[in-house]
Amino acid sequence: MDGFETLSEQACFGGVQGFYRHASTSCAGPMRFAVYQPPQAVQGKCPVLYYLAGLTCTEETAAIKAGAQRLAAQFGLVLVMPDTSPRDTGIEGATGDWEFGEGAGFYVDATQAPYAERFNMHRYVVEELPALIARQFPVDLERSGIFGHSMGGHGALTIALRYPERYRSVSAFAPIVAPSQVPWGRKALPKYLGEDRAAWADYDACELVRRQTFAGTILIDQGEADKFLEAQLKPELFDQACAEAGQPLLLRRHPGYDHSYWFISTFMEDHLRHHAKALGLL
């Protein structure tokens, strides 16, 4: 039905780290994703936490670099880590630029040709992937959380703010909080969505939080030695937007930490605890 296939599975902290592929309708082609099943999954359904990776990353990046499995096994969390875009699209202009196209789907549903058929990562993450996960893995979709890094942090924040009823928790590492106002977003959003800034606002966390707050506290960690901090990330804009909207936000700044997975792995335990608590595991 969905062309689901197992690419590999390995034992990991008493559970299973697997990599999978299926035929996606949202992205009109094959999509890959990773799933970590904790040992508790053998006994029954577990809460599920989606991790959205950043620019240039794949479904393997967080699974290999983030160091999340040990704590996921301890808490009983299923981790789902999709790829960041469709691949091998054959679309001119979709490769060769690390800030746009393949590996840089920005978690939007494109409306502009030639990207509209394949680049629908928003719909993929919100609708298609959870339905597939529920069919193939022992997950409790009523207890779902979402987090991510950089472009993926942007994806996690915007998705949680647009669908607060679907997620009990949200957090981000060094997210792009205002793509409408920074070079990464101003480069990608017109190509995917056109020049109408009203369409951009649907994928801008600073704009969204002013429309709809999230029930829980949003956790954000940001390294102060991040080379993208001033030009691309601008967490102070989201801090201000949350204050104006009355949205609880825990924004933590960390001297000496950059944008890498050394930063993410350092604070991954705090994020998993944040989600485990909200999902009723602590």
Side-chain angles (χ1 to χ4, degrees):
M1 182 174 65
D2 46 39
F4 177 83
E5 58 181 315
T6 300
L7 301 177
S8 66
E9 290 183 331
Q10 286 84 29
C12 182
F13 290 103
V16 177
Q17 177 62 62
F19 295 90
Y20 310 93
R21 180 168 54 207
H22 74 114
S24 168
T25 55
S26 301
C27 297
M31 288 292 295
R32 296 162 69 114
F33 61 93
V35 176
Y36 177 70
Q37 299 178 72
Q40 296 87 337
V42 176
Q43 305 298 325
K45 292 183 178 181
C46 295
V48 57
L49 181 57
Y50 299 89
Y51 178 88
L52 307 183
L55 292 164
T56 76
C57 294
T58 72
E59 75 285 352
E60 292 185 328
T61 308
I64 294 171
K65 294 183 176 182
Q69 292 91 342
R70 179 180 64 84
L71 272 298
Q74 178 180 322
F75 297 144
L77 274 169
V78 172
L79 299 177
V80 178
M81 298 160 276
D83 199 354
T84 53
S85 78
R87 303 286 175 169
D88 300 318
T89 61
I91 297 173
E92 185 176 355
T95 58
D97 183 346
W98 69 276
E99 297 176 324
F100 178 79
E102 295 184 22
F106 272 86
Y107 303 100
V108 304
D109 286 343
T111 58
Q112 304 300 299
Y115 307 104
E117 180 182 5
R118 300 295 304 274
F119 285 83
N120 295 296
M121 289 300 296
H122 180 85
R123 184 163 73 245
Y124 179 74
V125 170
V126 173
E127 298 177 4
E128 185 176 7
L129 184 59
L132 174 66
I133 294 298
R135 290 195 298 271
Q136 299 290 346
F137 300 93
V139 299
D140 177 7
L141 290 186
E142 295 299 313
R143 290 191 290 169
S144 297
I146 190 166
F147 69 147
H149 170 230
S150 194
M151 178 186 72
H154 142 78
L157 293 173
T158 56
I159 287 170
L161 288 167
R162 286 180 63 173
Y163 307 96
E165 73 284 355
R166 298 193 186 195
Y167 304 94
R168 293 194 186 181
S169 56
V170 60
S171 70
F173 300 94
I176 305 168
V177 297
S180 300
Q181 301 182 53
V182 301
W184 276 338
R186 288 173 174 167
K187 181 177 186 176
L189 295 181
K191 295 180 181 179
Y192 287 134
L193 304 173
E195 297 294 342
D196 182 4
R197 283 181 165 266
W200 300 9
D202 287 340
Y203 299 101
D204 188 307
C206 287
E207 298 290 338
L208 290 170
V209 76
R210 293 185 171 98
R211 301 183 198 168
Q212 170 71 60
T213 56
F214 190 78
T217 298
I218 297 173
L219 170 62
I220 292 178
D221 279 310
Q222 175 65 60
E224 290 191 341
D226 190 323
K227 67 181 181 180
F228 302 115
L229 177 58
E230 292 186 8
Q232 304 282 13
L233 305 178
K234 297 185 179 295
E236 67 277 3
L237 297 179
F238 192 62
D239 193 14
Q240 179 182 351
C242 286
E244 294 172 359
Q247 170 65 57
L249 170 68
L250 178 56
L251 171 59
R252 309 192 305 180
R253 295 173 178 266
H254 305 280
Y257 285 91
D258 63 11
H259 200 68
S260 72
Y261 270 80
W262 301 113
F263 158 64
I264 293 171
S265 62
T266 300
F267 298 103
M268 178 57 71
E269 179 172 349
D270 291 351
H271 283 249
L272 292 186
R273 287 187 179 278
H274 169 81
H275 291 279
K277 183 177 180 180
L279 296 172
L281 295 172
L282 293 178

